[in-house]
Amino acid sequence: MVTLSQSKWSVRTLTVAVWALAAGSTLYWGLRLSADRSMTAIPTVAAVPTVIDSQAVARLLGATAAPAAANAPSVASRFALQGVVAGSPGGGAALISVDGKPAKPFRIGSTIEEGLILQSATARQVTFAASRGGPALLTLDMPLLTP
């Protein structure tokens, strides 16, 4: 059972705690509102981006220089077959993109670039050669349709 003297102390303790919180809040906001507004934050210095020399890092880790021919793109990677119109034997056309540029139509026997002509076309494939009757140098397939 709680006696009268115990309840007076608990009420007094609670009252002191509430007044202490009120005084602390008043002090905080008083200092905050009376702060000098002319002071600004010190500007930070922008970080200079670090440039990493990947070749130097590779040499540091023991890599050897790759031959120049390995760094050059292969002939097949320069061409993308976009569409084929296969006609009668010796006829037809293909829609080919060269070096990532927009695709252009080429007829069988036309020059794609120097030393490379469109030799033949089937429903999903074209063949390049150095001459119309020469051996095939490169065969491109239509990309698969993905759902």
Side-chain angles (χ1 to χ4, degrees):
M1 174 170 222
V2 177
T3 63
L4 187 58
S5 65
Q6 286 177 340
S7 73
K8 283 184 183 180
W9 280 106
S10 59
V11 171
R12 286 182 184 166
T13 304
L14 183 61
T15 303
V16 168
V18 169
W19 279 107
L21 285 173
S25 177
T26 303
L27 179 65
Y28 171 79
W29 285 107
L31 291 173
R32 179 103 172 161
L33 294 174
S34 67
D36 187 13
R37 300 284 181 202
S38 64
M39 293 179 73
T40 58
I42 299 171
T44 59
V45 178
V48 178
T50 305
V51 178
I52 298 172
D53 184 7
S54 60
Q55 294 296 328
V57 172
R59 282 191 308 272
L60 181 68
L61 295 174
T64 58
N71 292 337
S74 69
V75 175
S77 68
R78 295 185 50 227
F79 302 104
L81 182 60
Q82 303 293 319
V84 178
V85 177
S88 61
L95 192 60
I96 301 171
S97 172
V98 181
D99 292 329
K101 295 178 182 168
K104 293 181 183 176
F106 293 95
R107 290 186 160 273
I108 301 296
S110 64
T111 302
I112 306 298
E113 62 179 25
E114 189 174 332
L116 197 62
I117 65 166
L118 185 59
Q119 186 180 39
S120 65
T122 61
R124 300 193 49 82
Q125 191 176 65
V126 295
T127 305
F128 298 134
S131 65
R132 177 117 180 168
L137 297 176
L138 175 67
T139 301
L140 291 179
D141 293 315
M142 283 285 293
L144 296 175
L145 297 175
T146 57

